[in-house]
Amino acid sequence: MFEETRDRFAQVTDSAFLNLKNLLDSELKEFSATPVEGKNSGIYVLYEKNQPVYVGRTRNLKQRFRAHISPNHNSASYALKRVRKRIGREASYKKEGSRSWIVEHHRDEFLEEIETIKRMAYRFIQVSDNIDQYFLEYIAEAHLGLDHDGLNTS
């Protein structure tokens, strides 16, 4: 039983490293609300000034990219994350520090971050399986030296 699990784990891990190579070798494209990959699911890396800054997982790239640049605090989570970092505020379930509070009190910064995201570039690889996506997302973040804060829960 454990051997089967170990073999499956090894397959998923090997696949993730191959996918990472393919992701990082893929074409660097300009960010767009209508990416050429359309509604495909997979993993993407956002680049700011040719430096990787964010790894994302999505079931629909077109929808996710539109959400990244939406002025809605419930959709533009990466822009909010960037604002939180700028102002030194941790995520909170309290009113002060909540998503809506951040946008209400730091709207200009929030909109600036959305404009910054619009100027980014990206790489994308189609990956349909959820487990393969999770492994690739984690391995890409680790390889690129990015935060794993998407794993945090509270």
Side-chain angles (χ1 to χ4, degrees), residues 43 55 133-143 146 148 151:
I43 300 294
V55 176
Q133 285 182 3
Y134 288 121
F135 270 81
L136 177 54
E137 179 183 31
Y138 178 78
I139 288 170
E141 288 174 340
H143 179 74
L146 301 176
H148 300 295
L151 301 174

Side-chain angles (χ1 to χ4, degrees), residues 28-41:
L28 187 62
K29 301 173 187 167
E30 290 192 25
F31 186 94
S32 169
T34 56
V36 297
E37 297 84 1
K39 297 180 179 182
N40 287 318
S41 62

Side-chain angles (χ1 to χ4, degrees), residues 67-82:
H68 274 309
I69 58 174
S70 165
N72 182 317
H73 66 273
N74 288 318
S75 298
S77 58
Y78 182 52
L80 261 168
K81 177 181 175 178
R82 290 173 62 96

Side-chain angles (χ1 to χ4, degrees), residues 2-135:
F2 287 113
E3 286 298 318
E4 291 174 15
T5 302
R6 186 183 346 210
D7 290 346
R8 174 66 181 128
F9 186 82
Q11 290 172 352
V12 170
T13 304
D14 289 346
S15 176
F17 280 104
L18 178 61
N19 283 335
L20 175 62
K21 181 181 181 339
N22 292 335
L23 173 62
L24 298 179
D25 288 346
S26 69
E27 180 184 354
L28 187 62
K29 301 173 187 167
E30 290 192 25
F31 186 94
S32 169
T34 56
V36 297
E37 297 84 1
K39 297 180 179 182
N40 287 318
S41 62
I43 300 294
Y44 60 95
V45 180
L46 293 179
Y47 290 79
E48 184 176 10
K49 298 178 184 171
N50 293 319
Q51 294 297 314
V53 293
Y54 182 78
V55 176
R57 174 176 22 96
T58 185
R59 290 183 301 245
N60 181 328
L61 187 65
K62 181 178 178 181
Q63 184 178 33
R64 187 66 199 113
F65 275 16
R66 284 187 177 169
H68 274 309
I69 58 174
S70 165
N72 182 317
H73 66 273
N74 288 318
S75 298
S77 58
Y78 182 52
L80 261 168
K81 177 181 175 178
R82 290 173 62 96
V83 172
R84 285 186 188 286
K85 187 173 183 176
R86 278 172 73 170
I87 65 171
R89 275 278 189 177
E90 295 289 322
S92 173
Y93 290 106
K94 297 177 182 173
K95 171 92 173 120
E96 187 174 326
S98 69
R99 288 175 172 232
S100 60
W101 184 91
I102 293 287
V103 172
E104 180 183 336
H105 291 86
H106 298 277
R107 181 120 184 115
D108 290 344
E109 291 96 330
F110 179 64
L111 295 175
E112 284 174 24
E113 292 299 344
I114 287 173
E115 291 304 313
T116 298
I117 292 168
K118 287 179 182 178
R119 292 187 303 272
M120 289 184 180
Y122 75 97
R123 286 191 164 93
F124 175 79
I125 184 172
Q126 186 175 347
V127 178
S128 300
D129 183 81
N130 287 337
I131 300 298
D132 289 338
Q133 285 182 3
Y134 288 121
F135 270 81

